[in-house]
Amino acid sequence: MSIRKGKNYPYGIHIPDMKYLCASSPIEVMPAPNKLFISLSQHIGAPAIPVVAPGDEVKKGQIIGKESGAISANIYSSVSGKVLSIEEIVNGVGQKQKYIVIENDFKNEEVLFPDMKDFEAQSIIDRIRLAGIVGLGGAGFPTAVKLSPKSPLEILVINGAECEPYLNCDNRLMLERTDDIFKGINYVAKALNVKRIIIGIEKNKPEALEAFSKYEGFEVVALKKQYPVGSEKHLIYCTTGRKVPVGKMPFDVGCCVQNIKTMIACYEAIELNKPLTEIVMTVSGLGINSPKNLKVAIGTPFEDIIKYCGGLKENTVKLVCGGPMMGKALANTVKFASKTDSGLIALSGEECSVAQPSNCINCARCANNCPMRLMPMYIESCALAGDFVGAEKYGAMNCIECGSCAYNCPAKRALVESIRFAKAKIKEAKQNGK
Ligand code: SF4
Ligand code: SF4
């Protein structure tokens, strides 16, 4: 299949991608640690309900948290061992979550699902739901729900953009597990009953573009290197030319977007009978001694991951969970690998500013750089004044939290944090019927 050029969109920013730190490092498997903290809220929707109790012996792949509603996901143990406790912990990104704490017995005893009886669309969706698979690109929306649209779709778009700086895990997976991704995509296409499949990959990953161009049944699209080309709406536009209107979703224009890692998880659940118990993440930044692309057991403490990567350098000023643009800054290292974690980035003073914000100078750089054509400075001032009706009028809910505005703000305003806060308040008001 030949590679075609994606459509350009006029807005977006150009940032140093810093991929060189570990773009050529093959994925390494980190041994599971002594103690794992597995969150019951690794997805959008209702937390899973624990189905084990302290003192229980568990095996790798055994269900420990059951989905608790239509939008929820099962949680499985990533090691064999003993449940020590079920406790609430406030993690380093400020989320209070319930965790099942498991002591690893290092016996690696594993349970698998039975073989699937058939590979019909509904059986595929049922297996994906059972395996606890959610959007592993960061959104965490349960995949089985996304595969059950109310009206038929036409195009499956695979997101191979990985436009966040530093992150390399999708790129490595596209090179090292091309066949498995291909199989996962075909199962998902069958579940959706779509005939057209497009994979969009940024031009800075020529080997991945080349790898997928060898397969039939796909359209391979080379995307211009421009942040945030991997956001759902921009990816759909650049690969299909379809525009997702404000307030609408990809399915409103006949598309479903899926992530690379999610495709591998689907393949493993369907063909290898494995639930989701491991993730691949990039540990990078000039603040970490040995940047790596790592496969880790879900529940692994970030402390252990940092140690495994040689520890932090003295010049580290900031830790980020996820990519540096859309990820969340960590107040401490109390964080445990979860399904949606793509990265752990240790930034040195050279790479990021820790300057205190100063007053907005009305330069409009944030608005000029917003790929959603919003006016972040106005949304921020509404949010800070507690005027959430005003924030909504300025389009807060259309913000994709890409961070382009804050990246370019000379006054170092914490624009995204303010917008996230406004969005949470708007959602809360709607839930309370206001
Ligand atoms: S307002 Fe939202 S969408 Fe616009 S640049 Fe800022 S974070 Fe991105
Ligand atoms: S970029 Fe910063 S200083 Fe300029 S208008 Fe936006 S918030 Fe104000």
Side-chain angles (χ1 to χ4, degrees), residues 358-367 369 375-378 380 405-406 408-415:
S358 53
N359 289 339
C360 170
I361 54 168
N362 288 320
C363 65
R365 275 168 73 172
C366 53
N369 285 294
M375 291 197 280
M377 65 292 209
Y378 292 154
E380 188 205 30
C405 50
N408 282 294
C409 174
K412 307 289 171 217
R413 308 285 314 160
L415 295 163

Side-chain angles (χ1 to χ4, degrees), residues 366 369-376 379 398-406 415-416 419:
C366 53
N369 285 294
C370 174
M372 298 302 288
R373 314 314 300 138
L374 302 174
M375 291 197 280
I379 304 176
N398 294 319
C399 168
I400 56 169
E401 301 177 19
C402 68
S404 304
C405 50
L415 295 163
V416 187
I419 298 171

Side-chain angles (χ1 to χ4, degrees), residues 184-241:
I185 291 173
N186 281 318
Y187 285 122
V188 167
K190 186 165 184 190
L192 284 168
N193 193 24
V194 294
K195 299 282 172 278
R196 195 170 166 204
I197 306 168
I198 307 177
I199 181 161
I201 301 172
E202 250 190 5
K203 278 182 184 161
N204 61 347
K205 302 174 192 67
E207 291 167 291
L209 280 162
E210 185 61 29
F212 279 101
S213 68
K214 299 200 172 94
Y215 291 81
E216 289 299 318
F218 270 99
E219 290 167 52
V220 183
V221 176
L223 304 164
K224 185 175 163 192
K225 193 181 130 4
Q226 185 178 22
Y227 183 82
V229 70
S231 86
E232 275 196 339
K233 290 187 176 184
H234 297 99
L235 182 71
I236 289 173
Y237 177 71
C238 293
T239 53
T240 70

Side-chain angles (χ1 to χ4, degrees), residues 319-339:
L319 285 176
V320 181
C321 174
M325 297 298 285
M326 294 190 77
K328 295 196 170 90
L330 286 157
N332 52 52
T333 51
V334 183
K335 176 79 180 73
F336 314 97
S338 80
K339 293 178 186 179

Side-chain angles (χ1 to χ4, degrees), residues 28-34 79 104 106 294-297 300 304 308:
E28 210 174 303
V29 181
M30 175 181 164
N34 293 334
V79 291
N104 189 357
F106 296 96
L294 275 189
K295 187 193 250 193
V296 301
T300 302
D304 293 270
Y308 187 76

